[in-house]
Structures are given as structure tokens and as C-alpha cells.
Amino acid sequence: MTKREVIEQLLPKRLPAPCVSATAFAPANIALCKYWGKRDPELNLPTAGSLSISLGKLGSEVTLAPRAGRDRFALNGKLVAPESSFARRAAAFLDFFRPTSDFHFEVTAHNTVPTAAGLASSASGFAALTLALNKLFGWKLERRQLSILARLGSGSACRSLFDGFVEWHAGKAASGMDSFAEPLKFNWPDLRVGLVMISDKEKSIGSRDAMQHTRDTSPLYAAWPETVTRDLAELKTAIRTRNFTKLGEIAEGNALAMHATMIAARPSVLYWLPGSVEAIHAVHALRAEGCEVYFTMDAGPNLKLLFRKADVRCVVKEFSDLQVVAPFSA
Ligand code: DP6
């Protein structure tokens, strides 16, 4: 099935005229149980489910307006060249939603995640873009349908439609209509996420290509879907029972297992820098001293720490530049 066919099924047939402009915000999210590998690359359908935590006010705000002539993109107050990867990815997604071929957009995006936090913004960006399209064209779609549309832009974006803990159901259908994200009912007010910036340099290989290459060549990949299925079930129990030790152990173990699959790919995909390894050792040393902190990592060298409010002081003592996020505080 193609993206266009899925979109045709989801969008209302008769639409009002577009509004003058529409603005929407979506939070960044960090997976505690990772999405790594697709059963369908066209529709970004995952091999297994995943579970993330959204970062509250840290994310992307997108304003859309119709524009005569050609698309124009601005990011964080600056115009962006149409050939930049930001503009190309956004335009390719918007192409599916132009009412006529000569319809163009003015796209104004702001990331509230400081660039220095080294956090990927594509998930929140595609989620905010989808929400803004829904408003601009008056689709009036439910969050579940919007989650499916955002997934077509970037898989992890389907989780950024919601706050708090969010599960992305892998689904089984070839159409992907059963592959959407959903928030969990549980909150955890004293949970903290710390962003450790190791490097903000552009990566040599993006997550999209890296996950396909891992799936195609890594001898360790065969064990991954089973690991995710087990971790996902245990993580949900840890969240339900507020067992922080379990949550931390599973999230850290899951990230390491994902990195193990890619490190073993041929050729290897190694996102870790010397500073990443140093930070991993520092986390382990803190834990040995009784400061309970765990880490997770995505397709990059930066660490995201997980700890509780009571341990903020000992974590910040070790990681002095840490940006601390309270995902459940309003
Ligand atoms: C390591 O969602 O960026 O962050 O679907 O190809 O756009 P595409 O991939 P993307 O991959 C994210 C991978 C990850 C893990 C995760 O967020 O679950």
C-alpha cells in the first residue's frame, strides 16, 4: 500500500476552504523501549511496538499558511533554503496534502528544544506539522488518525501526538491502520529526564538508513524483536507499579541492546563518541554510589538520563551542564 492510498482513506472527502493560518505544538519524545526496524519502509510500519515519554513543553511549534508562488520555510526565526534537508523533508510530506498542484505553504517552525540539547526534532516537527494541517484544512480528525498520518512523515512522530507515557502499537495490517500511538493512563510526577549533550555535529548516517542497514546486515538483529516484546511488557508493568529501578534497568538495557545490533552491522554503525562512553561510566559510578540514575541513547552520541526528583542534586553534581526536564509537571 502507498502513503497516498492511506491518506486518501483517512482524509474527509469534502473539505472547507483552508484557514488563513494555523499553529500547533507537539512535544519531543524519548523512547524507553525503542523503535528500530520496519516491516514496511514506505509506511514506516515497525517490526515491534515501542514506548516513549514526551517532554512536556520541549518540542516544536509549527505555523502553516497558504502562500502564492512557492513554499517558504523558516526555522527558529531564519529562512531555510529549499534544498536543506529540513525543507526537503517537510515539502515531501506536504506534497501529499496540497489541494491542487499549485497550492503552496508558508511554514514557520520553532523548536523549543534548545539545539544545544542535542535532541532530535523530527518527531515533534512532523507531529506539529500534522496537527497544523488538521487545523488549516479543517479535517477534524481524531488523535489516533493524526498519529497514523504523522507516522507517514517519521515513525517516531506518531508518539509525539500525546503527552506522558505513550505506546506505539506495531499493528499487523498491511495498511498500517492498526499502527498508531496511544497514551498510557499513568503519570509519574517525580520522574526526571536529563539531557546530556556530547556533540551536536551532524551524524554520518541518519536513523532511517541506519535502522534499515542494521536489519539487513546485523547478525544480532534476529534477537531484537523478541527483546523489544519482552522489554515492552515489563516496562508497562514497571510504569503501572511505579517501580523506578525496573523502569531504569529496562530502558538502559533496551538502548544498549539496540546499539549492540547496530554496532554489529556490517559495516558497523557506531554513534558513540569517547565522551558518550565516559558518560556511561559516570552513570554506572553514580549508581554504585547510591545515586539512582539510568541512561538511554538514540541514533546519536548524546545520553538521556532517567532519575527521580530526590536524586537531582547528585546527578547535576556529576553532569553540571545537564538540562533537567520534568515531563509530568504542568
Ligand atoms: C533511535 O522515527 O527517526 O530514535 O521512521 O525512518 O523517520 P523514521 O525513523 P525515526 O527513528 C527513530 C529511532 C530511534 C528510536 C525511537 O525513537 O524509538
Side-chain angles (χ1 to χ4, degrees):
M1 206 162 186
T2 64
K3 281 195 173 85
R4 202 167 284 282
E5 285 165 338
V6 172
I7 291 166
E8 267 170 24
Q9 279 191 32
L10 287 173
L11 295 194
K13 298 288 166 274
R14 296 168 68 82
L15 288 171
C19 307
V20 176
S21 84
T23 299
F25 171 83
N29 77 77
I30 287 173
L32 304 178
C33 184
K34 309 288 185 190
Y35 151 53
W36 196 247
K38 305 182 193 195
R39 64 183 162 90
D40 179 347
E42 159 78 8
L43 301 181
N44 294 329
L45 293 175
T47 308
S50 59
L51 196 151
S52 62
I53 181 161
S54 288
L55 295 189
K57 294 191 180 69
L58 294 192
S60 306
E61 188 187 77
V62 171
T63 299
L64 284 180
R67 183 171 195 271
R70 59 200 295 236
D71 291 339
R72 191 161 70 172
F73 300 90
L75 178 59
N76 297 334
K78 288 199 187 111
L79 278 182
V80 176
E83 56 283 352
S84 69
S85 80
F86 168 81
R88 278 192 289 117
R89 285 188 79 188
F93 188 63
L94 291 170
D95 281 348
F96 291 108
F97 306 104
R98 300 180 199 275
T100 54
S101 58
D102 60 352
F103 187 100
H104 295 95
F105 293 92
E106 173 95 50
V107 182
T108 313
H110 285 277
N111 287 333
T112 55
V113 182
T115 342
L119 206 79
S121 54
S122 68
S124 55
F126 278 109
L129 199 53
T130 306
L131 286 165
L133 282 163
N134 184 50
K135 280 190 187 170
L136 188 77
F137 291 123
W139 295 336
K140 297 198 169 78
L141 293 180
E142 315 245 319
R143 287 269 157 165
R144 180 175 290 193
Q145 296 164 310
L146 293 171
S147 173
I148 293 175
L149 288 178
R151 163 170 56 71
L152 302 176
S154 178
S156 53
C158 75
R159 299 184 309 234
S160 276
L161 265 293
F162 305 96
D163 287 319
F165 293 116
V166 180
E167 180 177 2
W168 174 8
H169 304 288
K172 284 196 169 73
S175 65
M177 291 303 178
D178 55 357
S179 183
F180 50 83
E182 211 167 25
L184 301 190
K185 289 193 294 284
F186 305 95
N187 70 358
W188 200 323
D190 74 342
L191 192 68
R192 297 291 179 270
V193 175
L195 308 175
V196 181
M197 164 77 162
I198 305 294
S199 167
D200 63 354
K201 286 219 182 76
E202 182 116 7
K203 301 172 286 194
S204 55
I205 175 167
S207 50
R208 182 159 295 182
D209 292 339
M211 76 169 80
Q212 196 56 37
H213 171 67
T214 303
R215 200 171 190 267
D216 292 345
T217 69
S218 175
L220 300 190
Y221 190 80
W224 171 249
E226 210 177 292
T227 305
V228 174
T229 306
R230 197 181 46 242
D231 285 349
L232 191 55
E234 290 181 9
L235 195 53
K236 285 200 278 185
T237 306
I239 290 169
R240 189 166 36 84
T241 57
R242 267 210 199 158
N243 184 336
F244 178 70
T245 304
K246 271 269 165 268
L247 177 131
E249 285 175 356
I250 297 163
E252 188 171 306
N254 184 269
L256 287 169
M258 176 184 76
H259 279 271
T261 66
M262 58 178 111
I263 290 170
R266 302 178 184 191
S268 174
V269 177
L270 179 60
Y271 284 115
W272 298 0
L273 293 174
S276 320
V277 178
E278 237 175 75
I280 291 174
H281 284 295
V283 168
H284 289 171
L286 280 177
R287 242 173 20 231
E289 289 163 15
C291 176
E292 201 175 7
V293 50
Y294 299 86
F295 71 86
T296 181
M297 292 176 79
D298 291 307
N302 304 312
L303 273 71
K304 288 98 184 186
L305 307 184
L306 301 163
F307 48 98
R308 282 170 297 185
K309 192 177 170 193
D311 286 317
V312 169
R313 199 188 286 253
C314 63
V315 176
V316 171
K317 202 166 160 225
E318 175 65 37
F319 295 95
S320 50
D321 296 334
L322 195 71
Q323 164 147 22
V324 179
V325 184
F328 291 96
S329 77

